[in-house]
Amino acid sequence: MNFFARFAQNRGALVGLIILTMIILMAISAPLLFPESPWRMVQRPFLPPLELDGFPMGTDTMGRNVAAGLMHGAWVSLLIGLVSTFVALVIGVPLGAIAGYYGGLLDDALMRFTEFFQIIPNFALAIVLVAIMQPSVTSIVLAIALVSWPPVARLVRAEFMSLRHREYVEAARLVGQSNRTIILRQILPNAMSPIIVMASLMVATAILLESSLSFLGLGDPNVMSWGYMIGAARTVIRQAWWLSFFPGLAILLTVLALNLVGEGLDDALNPKLSRERS
Amino acid sequence: MLYARLIIMRLLKAVIVLFLIVIFNFFLIQMAPGDPAAVMAGEAGATDPEFLRQLREQFGLDQPLYVQLWRYISGIATLDFGYSYRQQMPVFDLIMDRMPATLLLTGTAFVMSLGLGILAGSMAAARAKKLSGSVIMALALVFYATPLFWVALMSVVLFSVQLDWLPAYGFASVGTGYTGFALALDIGKHLILPATTLALFFMAIYTRMTRTSMLEASQQDYVKTARSKGLASGVIQRRHILRNALLPIITLAGLQAGQMVGGAILTETVFAWPGIGRLMFEALMQRDYNLLLGIFFFSAALVILFNIITDLVYGLVDPRIKEAS
Amino acid sequence: MKKTLTLAIAAASIAATYAWAEEPRSGGIINTVIQPEPPSIIAGLHQNAPTQTVSGNIYESLLRYDTDLNPMPQLAHDWTVSDDGLVYTFNLHEDATWHDGKPFTSADVVFSTDVYLREMNPRTRTILSHVESIEAPDDHTVVFTLKNPFGPFLLAFEAGTMPMMPKHIYEGTDFRDNEANNHPVGTGPFKFESWDRGRVIQLVKNEDYYEQGLPYLDGINWHVIPDASSRAIAYENGTVDVLPANSVENFDIPRLSELDNTCRTEQGHEYFSPFAMLWINNREGPMADKRFRQAVMYALDREFARDVLWNGLGKVPLSAFGSNASFQDDSLPPYDHNPERARELLDEMGYDGEEVRLLPIPYGETWVRWAEAVKQNLQEVGINIRTQATDVGGWNQRLAEWDYDLAFTYLFQYGDPALGISRTYISSNIAKGSPWNNVEGYENERVDELFDLAATAYPDDKREEYYHEVQGILHDEVPVGWLLELGFPTIYSCDVKNLVTTGIGLNDGFKNAWLDR
């Protein structure tokens, strides 16, 4: 069975993929459908959904179009999720690869370093980092990446440890390939599947993290993200349920979709490998 | 004997890691803009250089950084965690004051999520091909994907405001003068909503993990053997499959337990729970260095402690691990 | 001449007839909230709002003030001012005692003002710089002799500005490290009972209070509830009876106000008159140009902010002097919302789209929303705005180090330009390290001179002349943006009577309050 057939066998994964595609389409079409800034105050505040044409999700505390915010927010949330995951991979993969490949003292040192980051509770560390760097998209992305790379390093290390004595690696070594080439060309491609699966789940976690940070008032005030929308709507949750309902639903669907896709990827990429992660 | 030496080694290592963490955190928070004196002067609504100088002198912030660090570390060596600038109390007393509330909340959530998660997970595994199994898993996935603070808010609106069943916030009703059983009942009522919201997320993880591990374990040879021997499926389920599926769950439980002190910031904020998480957030916002460092120290110590405990439990459940290490 | 005295007695008796229309009943405990939890409740030690609110019921000063800011008796039962405005004599209550039973005497007044507060309170220190000597001719008389007339001197004896601290406890000790700071001892109507950190501060009735029959309440519980929505719910389900200003989000106020048996008042902040402003860093970039600052004023839609964000409460200010401050010149033309005029001014000065940073004040959702609205207003006239997020520490740091372009703040007016307004504009008040002085870096010699003359002129009609001239200059030069005179409503159960009877509001309000249950 090929990759797509295996992926498609998991019905949940298909549903996830469809949802995710829709969210990506939302993000792309936002500037076309709502060319105006989502921050513009365009109608009277607290307009309920479906009351006026052009405001299917109503308006917020200051008369801004919730639908516009939601579409533009899709872009921001996805971007923060993707970029912070990417940064986490950039940190975690090399560290894990080196530790797993070389082993010994180097491995020990790197793993202690990794543990170090895991000893302060994730969310607490993220909050502190954002507070120190002061909230902005960059600081949020960095903070999320800095708290989420250790599991990547551990996973990659485990993969490398199990792969480094495989025959094709030994063969490459005999042929005289450099360690760098072996790591990049021989082992890494074979360790990719669990990394991809983990990455898809990390994007979901990153979106949740960003929304939690925004909820505590540590979001970037220049971009409209879903987390920001819920945080801002929190104080009016009793008067205007729709303000936190729609972005909350959007986060839920996105995270759900990413998880479903992750599981599908896992099935498709590692038909036999166990799924240790949740 | 070997076991005891192992533990001593681990503890020694833990002390070194803690020491490094203290230094790391010390410099980390120095990087935040503003200092406790500036924040307090800011809150005062009026200030002059003399006022700031007095405050910095009182807090010892007028000393060079290395002196401050040395003072802090030598303090910790004698278990003196310093004085909270903002709260005007010894850090140790403040933390000990808030610790029970946090441990009660996270402990309850921990037991709840672990118990219900394993139960739901094994039910889902047993009914893997049935609708009920899929429903459990769908629910678990939804709980996993829902932002925690959102559930917290919604449950307050529903159960406290609309239905008026449960108190919306706080640790206990104030001024009731309850003692004994009545007090316990009162605290219990306040505990339900925050503990449940906090438990949902981990419960979802345990459910999914239990199911996966059990399904995997049921494919293993020894289970097939047991089955071929004609053992009842309930027995197989409990004695063979669940026991082996426990290993990854123990790992996660160890992680969760370690995060008990620092992991409840959002829940404690929404429910006004007087715990460590909230204290930490306030300390950060007020640049209350000593307090923040103290909380970090304790939460790190707890993580390390639970890492060690996890390893020990691991050894008990799976003898192979003990030999390997 | 004892005109101030007669005025005070008249004011007090008017307040009495008005407030005591119903026969007050003793008994009952009021539950309210305090936000954020104060660092201490020692009035002299900390000047932040929550400390002042709680400690104002434990500690007292010589006077208090009605809602028109006329002085009322407190620890001083009467007082006189010499004709040249230089000698202030206070006659103290003879049977006032500290909560530990020791008598309160003039020695405590001299100690508190001349020693304790001169060291501890920067704002009081400035006021006391006008004072030549503080003397106690007998146990119950205190005489303040000023170096020069200082118009607002009689306004300085408010419980938060000039609290009386016990000499027998603090003399010769380190005021900040005194063991007694964990157990406040004042002269006020309520005594400290307990403080369960993170949960509740409990005050109980002072049975030996020197004013007969007061207070009516048996105690006050200040609950610490860190979340605004939780505070609203606590009021709704009856756990708390009183929501002080700023304890719930503005968006919740209309809903809460309409609940059954709920009363609301905007009174009780006349002494403070919080004034929201936009610091404009006059030193650099386009902000150095007067036309840019005027354009900002024209660009702002302040009516929108008041109506949408502040529930229609508060006043759009004309210029630097709020309507509660004395000597306001109300003939100045208002800066209306006029984007067209703003664009013209920007064109005229040749604004090239340089990025301007906007620093919101991190004091809750309303302020964040307001910053978003201001950003939109400014963007609409073509100013290139980027918002900088920050927390309280960062906000203080940036302002104190002048590292900002535009920044939100709000300042108290303290009832007189010399106490609360001049500090923002005089050039001698330009100094790094404080977010509360002349942070914008505005310098104008004539303005300095006028504020100086006005503060020390005597009597009041001479001051008015100077203050009107200075308002004209400031109105034209726009050193800062004047956003809104804030209206802070207090929401409370109608069972609570006589809650807000002074211009200091809840800070000393529970003294006369009683429960009709």
Side-chain angles (χ1 to χ4, degrees), chain C residues 82-239:
Chain C
S82 68
D83 286 344
D84 57 4
L86 287 174
V87 182
Y88 289 72
T89 308
F90 294 88
N91 298 311
L92 308 178
H93 265 285
E94 303 201 356
D95 39 8
T97 55
W98 295 101
H99 292 160
D100 59 6
K102 298 268 187 338
F104 164 80
T105 67
S106 52
D108 290 307
V109 182
V110 175
F111 167 77
S112 302
T113 48
D114 220 11
V115 183
Y116 191 102
L117 292 167
R118 267 197 213 270
E119 180 178 335
M120 299 295 285
N121 188 328
R123 196 161 54 78
T124 311
R125 186 151 58 219
T126 314
I127 297 171
L128 290 173
S129 68
H130 297 277
V131 176
E132 177 77 43
S133 71
I134 305 169
E135 280 155 354
D138 65 57
D139 267 5
H140 301 288
T141 310
V142 181
V143 181
F144 289 77
T145 308
L146 272 56
K147 295 172 190 159
N148 48 266
F150 184 56
F153 190 63
L154 217 44
L155 274 172
F157 293 89
E158 175 259 340
T161 312
M162 207 84 86
M164 291 304 126
M165 305 300 292
K167 179 181 179 184
H168 63 280
I169 290 178
Y170 285 101
E171 192 178 35
T173 67
D174 179 348
F175 302 150
R176 291 173 201 279
D177 264 345
N178 194 308
E179 192 50 38
N181 285 350
N182 290 319
H183 199 289
V185 171
T187 57
F190 293 92
K191 295 196 286 189
F192 173 75
E193 170 74 12
S194 69
W195 186 351
D196 195 359
R197 296 251 168 192
R199 283 161 221 169
V200 64
I201 300 171
Q202 292 183 294
L203 305 187
V204 292
K205 178 177 186 167
N206 176 5
E207 299 284 354
D208 304 319
Y209 193 55
Y210 57 92
E211 287 191 52
Q212 283 306 311
L214 291 177
Y216 301 111
L217 298 171
D218 289 336
I220 314 165
N221 294 337
W222 306 87
H223 297 258
V224 179
I225 308 172
D227 181 71
S229 337
S230 305
R231 290 192 287 275
I233 291 167
Y235 177 76
E236 282 171 88
N237 67 20
T239 312

Side-chain angles (χ1 to χ4, degrees), chain A residues 39-41 45-46 61-62 64 131 134-135 219 221-222 228 231-232 234-236 238-239, chain C residues 227 233 236 249 251-252 255 304 308-309 365 369 372-373 375-376 380 386-387 389-391:
Chain A
W39 297 98
R40 257 188 79 109
M41 299 164 275
F46 293 117
T61 50
M62 298 217 299
R64 299 175 295 212
Q134 300 284 284
N222 293 294
Y228 160 81
R234 168 193 183 192
T235 48
V236 291
R238 313 273 298 279
Q239 294 94 317
Chain C
D227 181 71
I233 291 167
E236 282 171 88
E249 289 291 346
F251 297 108
D252 249 354
R255 189 175 61 82
F304 174 88
V308 171
L309 295 165
E365 288 297 311
R369 295 292 89 73
E372 290 161 13
K375 182 183 181 185
Q376 285 302 305
E380 247 142 65
R386 183 169 61 86
T387 311
T390 189
D391 54 9

Side-chain angles (χ1 to χ4, degrees), chain C residues 149-375:
Chain C
F150 184 56
F153 190 63
L154 217 44
L155 274 172
F157 293 89
E158 175 259 340
T161 312
M162 207 84 86
M164 291 304 126
M165 305 300 292
K167 179 181 179 184
H168 63 280
I169 290 178
Y170 285 101
E171 192 178 35
T173 67
D174 179 348
F175 302 150
R176 291 173 201 279
D177 264 345
N178 194 308
E179 192 50 38
N181 285 350
N182 290 319
H183 199 289
V185 171
T187 57
F190 293 92
K191 295 196 286 189
F192 173 75
E193 170 74 12
S194 69
W195 186 351
D196 195 359
R197 296 251 168 192
R199 283 161 221 169
V200 64
I201 300 171
Q202 292 183 294
L203 305 187
V204 292
K205 178 177 186 167
N206 176 5
E207 299 284 354
D208 304 319
Y209 193 55
Y210 57 92
E211 287 191 52
Q212 283 306 311
L214 291 177
Y216 301 111
L217 298 171
D218 289 336
I220 314 165
N221 294 337
W222 306 87
H223 297 258
V224 179
I225 308 172
D227 181 71
S229 337
S230 305
R231 290 192 287 275
I233 291 167
Y235 177 76
E236 282 171 88
N237 67 20
T239 312
V240 306
D241 313 299
V242 177
L243 289 172
N246 273 331
S247 54
V248 290
E249 289 291 346
N250 275 354
F251 297 108
D252 249 354
I253 284 171
R255 189 175 61 82
L256 293 170
S257 307
E258 279 161 24
L259 293 173
D260 285 348
N261 196 31
T262 293
C263 293
R264 187 175 101 177
T265 178
E266 279 88 56
Q267 287 195 315
H269 296 91
E270 291 77 7
Y271 185 81
F272 306 104
S273 302
F275 195 143
M277 308 198 306
L278 198 61
W279 291 122
I280 305 178
N281 196 337
N282 284 227
R283 301 170 188 86
E284 44 192 77
M287 292 87 67
D289 193 314
K290 176 173 97 181
R291 288 167 296 187
F292 182 88
R293 304 197 295 265
Q294 288 172 339
V296 168
M297 284 305 287
Y298 283 119
L300 296 174
D301 188 350
R302 298 179 291 171
E303 274 84 8
F304 174 88
R306 183 193 58 196
D307 295 341
V308 171
L309 295 165
W310 293 94
N311 300 307
L313 302 176
K315 291 194 191 88
V316 173
L318 288 174
S319 145
F321 283 46
S323 53
N324 273 329
S326 344
F327 317 110
Q328 190 201 31
D329 178 1
D330 51 16
S331 67
L332 293 166
Y335 279 98
D336 291 322
H337 178 47
N338 188 346
E340 209 39 58
R341 179 86 191 102
R343 278 187 214 104
E344 276 171 32
L345 283 161
L346 290 172
D347 281 346
E348 199 183 304
M349 68 170 276
Y351 170 67
D352 57 358
E354 185 183 328
E355 184 181 87
V356 173
R357 299 168 297 166
L358 175 66
L359 188 68
I361 187 169
Y363 283 179
E365 288 297 311
T366 305
W367 295 91
V368 178
R369 295 292 89 73
W370 200 354
E372 290 161 13
V374 162
K375 182 183 181 185

